Amino acid sequence: MVQRARNSAFTASILAILALAAPSVRAADPAPSAPGPLASDAAGCGGRLAGQRIRWIISSGPGSAYDVPARLIGPHFAERLGAESVFENRSGASGLVGYKATKAAVAEGDVVINVLSGAQTLIGAAHGRLPDPVTGMHLLGQIAGSRYVWATGKDSPFATLDDVFATARERPIVFAVFEPKGSAFTRIVGMNETLGLDATYVTGYKRSPQIAMAAIRQEVDVIAIGLSGQESLFENGDLRPLMTLNGGIGAFGMDALPTFAGPDGVVMARARALGRDLDDAAAEAAAITAFSEIGRIVAVPMGVDPTLIPCLRATLEATFASPEFRRDAEATGRPMDTLSAEATEALIERARARLETLKRVADAAAARLSQ
Amino acid sequence: MESILHAALEGFRFVFSWPNVLYPVGATLLCMFVSLVPGIGGMTLMALAIPFTLFWDREHVALLFGAFMGGATFMGSLSSILLGIPGKASNAATTFDGYPMARQGKAKTAIGAAASASALGSTFGVFVLIALIPLLRGLIVQFGPAEFLALVIWGLTTIAVVTQGSVVKGLVAAGVGMLLSYVGYDPRTAELRFTFGTLYLEDGIPLPPLFLGLFAMTEMLDLATSGRATVSGQTKAERLSGSLREGALSVFRHPWLFLRSSIIGTVVGIIPGVGGTVAGFVAYGQAAQSARKHGGRFGQGDIRGVLAPEAANDAKDAGALIPTFAFGIPGGTGTAMLLTVMTMHGIAPGKTLLTDQLGLVFVLVWSLFLSNWVTSLVGVATVGPAARMTVIHRHFLVPIILVLTTVGAYAYQGRIEDVCLTYATGALGFWMKKHGWSRVPLVIALMLGGIFETYLGITLRLHHLGRIDFWHRPIAAGLLAAAALSLGLRWAQAARGRPPAAAQEMP
């Protein structure tokens, strides 16, 4: 493992040379400046991590929606501590492979940060496969949120969400989904059940692009898809958005779309139409929203010197707030919805309160699929 | 079409101008170099490059990433031919005839054939891309799960074509391969299968450690116990009979085979999610099928068995860019990474990219093209020293390769279980080889079984729900007809009692 890290550092240094040689049309942009020792002291680290290596173990593949934010934040984060960031991708078994690698790294005496899915970890903890994201590990915060959209293909007969509900009275609406029991499946099934949409599912799709193509080819009626990385499909009109999870998406005219949660959201309107208990509906919508909004979290496994945790949390927050990081994040074209440890914890607790309901709904839907 | 040709020309000028040409050449050499280090490949390099290239201009980013996409391909072919170790899953079909050629002292010929087929296959893919750009979007939408399924079925018929000797043994090996491909989660229900309660098997059997065992370890165990002193049987490089020139020119002696294989590679590349593995096997299968009519020696070192998968494997690279450019739908990990980088630099895939920003598309395409040629030329330039590996005495070669195999298996994920898997499959492969069981059906079934199951499940479900009509899909019907034709010809040949063209003793 140490060799892997050295190899990565070696390759990174070659790329750095290439980067220095590269002509840039954005030459007017100032080079990222080192924050210096002041930032480190402000975080209360007292130079304890200066000159050390911080290992970021990413529980998904290179280039993924977890990997890219981590690789952008990591160097800024390490600079503030006078340390060095190295990255390893350890995907598999719904985050468990990555978590096991972090534990092994801790045993080797390294300072290690695990980048993983908050919703997946919560589900994993409920099944006893992963530690609890709040009590079983040291949560540092959220490095990227998730913006979910319901969409249909450009040639679909559904112009609006109301068309979907109208059709659902005549025949089941068909959704394309990932494998059952995962966090994405749980979210989609939970949304359907909360909306009283007696949908049916086509499972087995491996990645978001496959699901997008299923909608474009009109093999399925509706897909629920994370916006990150799929923006061009909406920009080009290949996918037509029908609903956002909780609004706040300015691009592609999505602000005008109905939102799932909230007092004026689709859930409440449907609850009124179906005669459901409004408080129950609101609580379910809030839980699903919170579950989805946990996003990509960063956590330190138990075993790392606990006195370092406040320092790491403060450094992460300082990194989020720094103009250098914000500028790099903006350059990626992907908004970095970063949150402090406390705010992320609050989201997790909100989701946890209704997790059993979500799990029950998802398990029931999965059981129907296997019949 | 005029604007497309103009953009292609502009892109060509940009890539091949000084000092821009240094980027793809340097990146390709870097990619080839790091591919030698266990645990680092083209994908890792791309991931590492993302933050470094954040403030580069778009054109230079396209230069760099185009080269990364093509840079690691040929290295896999070299190890396939010289040691019987496929560098990547997509190189597996090359081992079937490439390694037997090396054993006959014809490593140079095989490398020459692979290099020319790769370079020309890549060229073919680029020109098809240029020709198809106006039709791309409509074309991609025609390929759904039913078509993927039919294509994989065609790939699976390769088993019938390449299996010789005992049909029962071939079928059993294929069945075992299929069963192994089902280890892990059921893609439809997420139920765990054949994991015996172990976490390691939950994500299925990882292919790189399995390949290391089934190919590298098996071949080294065989070499250690066979009585042969070296892979080629020769102890001096001067005695090797192969010729680089003969290999390189073989593409021109088999133009129709090259063309068919390149078309297969390009078409498979266009289909997102299928990948080079299917391309290699389908191309190999059709080559073996046609060779039977003319008395080929497939599996025993037939140069056509190297040409076909190599041409298909490189022709697919340009094809794989098509769905990424047209829709933002990446076909694999490499194109997914490319999409990430494109997004970061404000390049939106779709109509605009294929019309207003076509020049940028061609910068990437020509960079990929150049990268494929650079890898082939470097491969050719190093063919002398590379071929010497086949005259290294087993006392040196076997322990070195076994150590590298062990390190490579561990470096893949840093898991000791991968090393155990490599040793277990090495023992299995050695046993199969000693007892006349071909490993080819097992490998093909293992690699295609998972894709087959996924698309079979999706297709059946969509058909059941009335969302598609499987029986009225002309492209799927055409692909199934090709599969049926393959099987029919094989049956007819067997019925006529024609002596088997393929090897009795496949690798």
Side-chain angles (χ1 to χ4, degrees):
Chain A
M1 271 186 236
V2 173
Q3 187 58 46
R4 274 173 79 96
R6 280 186 190 143
N7 290 340
S8 298
F10 162 74
T11 315
S13 59
I14 293 175
L15 284 165
I17 294 166
L18 276 173
L20 286 173
S24 169
V25 289
R26 301 180 202 170
D29 291 334
S33 58
L38 189 63
S40 175
D41 289 346
C45 302
R48 289 168 64 193
L49 291 171
Q52 285 204 37
R53 191 184 61 179
I54 297 171
R55 285 169 67 177
W56 296 69
I57 295 180
I58 303 152
S59 295
S60 67
S64 65
Y66 300 81
D67 184 61
V68 175
R71 287 178 192 270
L72 284 171
I73 290 168
H76 291 278
F77 179 83
E79 260 185 355
R80 304 188 82 81
L81 298 167
E84 179 198 8
S85 281
V86 292
F87 303 91
E88 295 169 42
N89 296 91
R90 295 297 177 91
S91 57
S94 305
L96 193 50
V97 170
Y99 182 70
K100 282 199 158 191
T102 62
K103 279 176 63 181
V106 171
E108 290 170 13
D110 285 329
V111 175
V112 56
I113 294 174
N114 192 193
V115 183
L116 64 171
S117 156
Q120 200 175 57
T121 310
L122 195 58
I123 291 269
H127 285 102
R129 292 166 54 88
L130 283 169
D132 188 278
V134 175
T135 59
M137 51 179 84
H138 302 291
L139 192 62
L140 298 187
Q142 182 201 71
I143 60 165
S146 302
R147 299 170 299 158
Y148 292 100
V149 178
W150 273 23
T152 188
K154 64 173 179 176
D155 299 322
S156 150
F158 307 126
T160 66
L161 197 61
D162 287 337
D163 295 339
V164 176
F165 290 131
T167 304
R169 286 196 288 270
E170 296 156 17
R171 64 165 175 87
I173 297 296
V174 180
F175 270 77
V177 288
F178 298 112
E179 64 184 20
K181 298 180 184 173
S183 55
F185 183 79
T186 304
R187 181 179 58 252
I188 292 164
V189 171
M191 289 174 88
N192 276 328
E193 296 292 325
T194 303
L195 291 172
L197 194 69
D198 192 17
T200 189
Y201 306 98
V202 180
T203 60
Y205 294 95
K206 300 277 185 196
R207 294 179 294 123
S208 297
Q210 282 183 318
I211 283 185
M213 279 307 286
I216 292 169
R217 287 192 298 259
Q218 289 201 71
E219 290 159 8
V220 297
D221 293 312
V222 183
I223 58 172
I225 194 166
L227 194 58
S228 186
Q230 318 298 328
E231 294 91 339
S232 63
L233 291 167
F234 292 97
E235 201 166 29
N236 293 323
D238 292 317
L239 289 181
R240 184 186 304 145
L242 297 172
M243 174 177 73
T244 64
L245 188 71
N246 56 349
I249 301 174
F252 325 122
M254 287 191 188
D255 267 349
L257 288 175
T259 55
F260 175 76
D264 301 322
V266 179
V267 169
M268 296 313 286
R270 286 284 290 173
R272 285 186 204 102
L274 298 173
R276 283 195 63 197
D277 184 286
L278 295 183
D279 289 340
D280 275 359
E284 282 178 19
I288 292 168
T289 310
F291 182 76
S292 307
E293 285 179 339
I294 301 170
R296 287 102 195 179
I297 60 172
V298 282
V300 174
M302 295 296 182
V304 168
D305 179 1
T307 62
L308 275 177
I309 304 303
C311 145
L312 294 173
R313 283 180 174 166
T315 305
L316 194 63
E317 279 194 53
T319 305
F320 292 158
S322 74
E324 295 87 4
F325 168 70
R326 306 299 317 176
R327 183 201 57 189
D328 279 8
E330 275 171 28
T332 67
R334 292 181 174 197
M336 295 282 182
D337 306 318
T338 52
L339 287 177
S340 68
E342 290 76 17
T344 312
E345 252 182 57
L347 274 180
I348 292 171
E349 293 304 345
R350 204 148 56 94
R352 193 201 304 278
R354 286 282 176 160
L355 187 63
E356 280 308 313
T357 310
L358 280 177
K359 254 185 70 192
R360 196 169 57 244
V361 168
D363 287 349
R368 282 204 302 275
L369 285 171
S370 58
Q371 284 167 2
Chain B
M1 196 67 196
E2 196 179 327
S3 62
I4 294 171
L5 289 175
H6 177 73
L9 196 61
E10 284 300 305
F12 185 86
R13 281 190 190 135
F14 182 83
V15 173
F16 288 89
S17 65
W18 185 265
N20 292 342
V21 71
L22 288 177
Y23 284 82
V25 172
T28 304
L29 293 176
L30 176 64
C31 204
M32 291 179 82
F33 177 70
V34 299
S35 295
L36 298 172
V37 183
I40 294 192
M43 296 307 106
T44 312
L45 208 51
M46 285 171 102
L48 285 167
I50 288 173
F52 285 98
T53 55
L54 203 56
F55 292 100
W56 289 25
D57 63 79
R58 296 169 173 189
E59 287 76 14
H60 286 87
V61 171
L63 280 177
L64 191 75
F65 279 81
F68 281 158
M69 286 192 67
T73 313
F74 192 70
M75 299 305 285
S77 312
L78 276 182
S79 59
S80 295
I81 291 166
L82 294 171
L83 301 165
I85 306 168
K88 292 200 298 183
S90 52
N91 296 119
T94 306
T95 59
F96 301 163
D97 278 277
Y99 183 60
M101 285 184 75
R103 288 182 59 168
Q104 294 158 18
K106 295 178 184 170
K108 286 182 187 174
T109 313
I111 292 172
S116 61
S118 293
L120 293 170
S122 158
T123 309
F124 179 88
V126 167
F127 283 102
V128 169
L129 175 67
I130 293 171
L132 286 184
I133 276 179
L135 311 170
L136 288 181
R137 291 170 59 86
L139 197 67
I140 294 163
V141 174
Q142 298 302 314
F143 283 92
E147 286 71 27
F148 299 171
L149 177 67
L151 188 72
V152 174
I153 290 173
W154 190 13
L156 285 168
T157 60
T158 310
I159 292 172
V161 177
V162 300
T163 300
Q164 290 300 319
S166 166
V167 175
V168 174
K169 282 182 176 178
L171 286 175
V172 170
V176 170
M178 275 280 185
L179 281 176
L180 289 174
S181 76
Y182 298 149
V183 171
Y185 283 107
D186 181 324
R188 292 160 301 151
T189 63
E191 297 296 335
L192 283 171
R193 303 171 304 188
F194 309 133
T195 61
F196 307 104
T198 58
L199 165 70
Y200 175 68
L201 294 174
E202 284 191 9
D203 279 333
I205 293 181
L207 290 180
L210 181 133
F211 277 164
L212 284 172
L214 215 49
F215 290 100
M217 196 149 282
T218 297
E219 294 305 336
M220 289 305 112
L221 290 174
D222 181 56
L223 181 61
T225 57
S226 66
R228 278 181 296 131
T230 64
V231 167
S232 62
Q234 301 294 337
T235 51
K236 290 188 176 171
E238 298 75 40
R239 291 188 184 166
L240 292 174
S241 58
S243 149
L244 183 65
R245 189 166 183 271
E246 182 195 338
L249 292 176
S250 63
V251 173
F252 303 104
R253 280 198 285 274
H254 305 285
W256 295 115
L257 174 68
F258 166 75
L259 196 63
R260 284 200 309 273
S261 305
S262 298
I263 291 171
I264 288 169
T266 308
V267 170
V268 171
I270 290 171
I271 305 172
V274 177
T277 311
V278 180
F281 285 134
V282 171
Y284 184 85
Q286 62 85 26
Q289 186 81 65
S290 61
R292 283 175 187 284
K293 296 175 198 163
H294 312 292
R297 290 167 53 82
F298 262 69
Q300 289 181 319
D302 192 312
I303 199 162
R304 289 169 291 185
V306 176
L307 285 179
E310 286 299 315
N313 203 12
D314 277 60
K316 81 161 198 324
D317 286 347
L321 293 175
I322 293 172
T324 313
F325 290 156
F327 286 98
I329 302 287
T333 315
T335 42
M337 202 92 76
L338 178 68
L339 186 64
T340 302
V341 174
M342 285 166 66
T343 311
M344 285 178 149
H345 287 268
I347 307 165
K351 287 175 197 157
T352 312
L353 182 64
L354 292 175
T355 50
D356 301 346
Q357 296 175 306
L358 207 48
L360 190 64
V361 169
F362 279 107
V363 169
L364 203 132
V365 168
W366 288 120
S367 179
L368 172 69
F369 166 83
L370 177 59
S371 171
N372 279 325
W373 272 88
V374 168
T375 52
S376 290
L377 290 174
V378 171
V380 166
T382 56
V383 71
R388 281 177 188 273
M389 286 182 73
T390 63
V391 296
I392 296 175
H393 197 279
R394 68 180 187 203
H395 291 168
F396 299 102
L397 188 67
V398 171
I400 290 170
I401 297 299
L402 287 182
V403 168
L404 285 176
T405 300
T406 308
V407 170
Y410 185 74
Y412 173 58
Q413 296 183 104
R415 304 176 73 174
I416 198 69
E417 294 96 327
D418 284 339
V419 180
C420 296
L421 176 68
T422 297
Y423 278 73
T425 49
L428 173 69
F430 183 61
W431 182 88
M432 289 177 79
K433 188 157 188 165
K434 286 294 171 197
H435 292 85
W437 290 70
S438 169
R439 286 164 289 161
V440 179
L442 188 148
V443 171
I444 295 174
L446 174 62
M447 292 175 74
L448 300 186
I451 311 174
F452 171 75
E453 187 194 20
T454 297
Y455 289 120
L456 178 67
I458 294 174
T459 303
L460 286 176
R461 180 87 174 141
L462 289 172
H463 183 77
H464 173 72
L465 291 170
R467 304 308 301 240
I468 61 168
D469 184 353
F470 183 75
W471 306 113
H472 291 88
R473 312 269 304 186
I475 296 176
L479 291 166
L480 286 176
L485 191 65
S486 281
L487 289 176
L489 285 171
R490 175 77 185 89
W491 178 79
Q493 283 159 358
R496 282 201 302 269
R498 180 172 292 210
Q504 292 292 337
E505 188 193 338
M506 296 290 279

